[in-house]
Amino acid sequence: MTTSHTSDANGAGPTDEAVRAELSRLRDSIDNIDAAVVHMLAERFKCTQQVGHLKANHHLPPADPDREARQIARLRELAENAKLDPAFAEKLLNFIIAEVIRHHETIAKSA
């Protein structure tokens, strides 16, 4: 294994080329995952937009607290099973739900 004698980005000293290659590989994976997350969120919002139109057309309220509570409980369980912090998952879903409700309110006003 060869060792580079160049400093890393922080100037911390010699960086092993294998470490730099592994870091690059992991960052590429992270970039791919981020892209997949963005595409999945886009698909989710396409569906929630349709829900918003359906609710507006049938004069249903933009928010559904019972559904939201069930979704949060479900997501917390999924997070636990996936070894992800359930509190983080809940915060993320609450952020998404708030955005969905905002969209539904906008759709309802324009209906």
Side-chain angles (χ1 to χ4, degrees):
M1 179 164 56
T2 61
T3 300
S4 170
H5 293 290
T6 60
S7 294
D8 65 14
N10 297 321
T15 302
D16 183 60
E17 289 180 24
V19 172
R20 293 174 63 83
E22 180 68 0
L23 183 60
S24 179
R25 184 191 69 76
L26 290 168
R27 287 179 172 165
D28 286 346
S29 292
I30 290 167
D31 292 348
N32 288 338
I33 293 165
D34 287 347
V37 168
V38 167
H39 287 283
M40 293 300 296
L41 283 172
E43 286 302 310
R44 189 186 197 286
F45 277 103
K46 285 177 189 174
C47 292
T48 61
Q49 291 287 330
Q50 292 175 19
V51 168
H53 287 287
L54 188 61
K55 285 181 172 183
N57 291 339
H58 293 279
H59 309 289
L60 298 170
D64 184 345
D66 291 336
R67 161 85 174 154
E68 293 157 22
R70 287 191 309 273
Q71 284 296 95
I72 289 168
R74 179 178 163 273
L75 192 71
R76 286 186 67 92
E77 183 178 342
L78 287 169
E80 286 178 23
N81 292 338
K83 307 293 188 252
L84 179 67
D85 180 6
F88 169 77
E90 183 173 346
K91 287 178 193 175
L92 178 61
L93 187 60
N94 280 328
F95 178 79
I96 292 169
I97 288 170
E99 186 68 8
V100 167
I101 291 170
R102 189 181 68 77
H103 290 173
H104 289 183
E105 290 169 344
T106 300
I107 292 167
K109 287 177 187 171
S110 66

